[in-house]
Amino acid sequence: MTRNQLDHYREVLEQQLTSIGETRNQQQEEFVEGRESVGTSSEDKATGLETMEVDSALADSEFQLEKKIRHALLRIEQGSYGICESCGAEIADERLKAKPSVSLCLPCQKKHEA
Ligand SMILES: [Zn+2]
C-alpha cells in the first residue's frame, strides 16, 4: 500500500470517528430531553424505557465500531494496515474502500462468521 493510500484511509477513519462522537453527543442531548418530557402515566414510562434500550444497543454497536476504527488507525501508525490479522494476506482494496476499519480478509471474515 502506498503512503497516499494510507493517508487517505486515515482521513476516512478519522472522519468516521468524528461522526460517531457527534452522534453520541446528539443522543445524550436527546436522552436528557426525553427524560424531561416523560409523562406521569405508566404507558409513557414504558415507551421511554423501550427507546432507551434501543439507544443503548445502538451505542453498543457504535462503541464496537469505534474500537475497530481506533485499532485500524493504530495499525496505520504501525505500518500493518491492510494486512489480514488472521492469515497475514493483503486485504483487497475494494474491501478496505467499502469498510476501512476491517482487519480481516474476506476468506478469514467468512470463516470467522461461520
Ligand atoms: Zn485472512
Side-chain angles (χ1 to χ4, degrees):
M1 187 172 301
T2 67
R3 188 77 234 169
N4 274 351
Q5 280 173 304
L6 279 177
D7 281 346
H8 166 76
Y9 285 125
R10 183 191 325 197
E11 219 168 278
V12 173
L13 287 162
E14 279 173 352
Q15 273 169 8
Q16 286 186 347
L17 212 54
T18 308
S19 88
I20 288 175
E22 279 167 5
T23 311
R24 185 179 302 139
N25 286 343
Q26 252 170 25
Q27 277 169 351
Q28 273 168 356
E29 275 166 33
E30 276 165 25
F31 178 65
V32 172
E33 278 168 25
R35 277 172 66 104
E36 282 168 358
S37 66
V38 166
T40 44
S41 82
S42 58
E43 203 180 312
D44 281 348
K45 274 180 194 161
T47 313
L49 210 65
E50 273 168 32
T51 316
M52 266 166 61
E53 275 168 21
V54 172
D55 278 355
S56 93
L58 195 73
D60 216 46
S61 69
E62 270 174 6
F63 179 68
Q64 293 301 327
L65 180 62
E66 187 180 337
K67 268 207 320 206
K68 279 183 189 170
I69 293 172
R70 287 191 192 282
H71 185 64
L73 283 166
L74 196 71
R75 298 187 75 214
I76 289 179
E77 296 304 321
Q78 292 170 340
S80 56
Y81 181 73
I83 307 289
C84 173
E85 286 191 315
S86 178
C87 71
E90 273 188 35
I91 300 171
D93 239 27
E94 296 308 309
R95 189 164 157 73
L96 288 172
K97 268 181 202 156
K99 208 178 173 196
S101 54
V102 292
S103 57
L104 294 174
C105 69
L106 192 57
C108 288
Q109 179 77 47
K110 279 188 174 161
K111 263 188 258 169
H112 198 72
E113 281 169 4

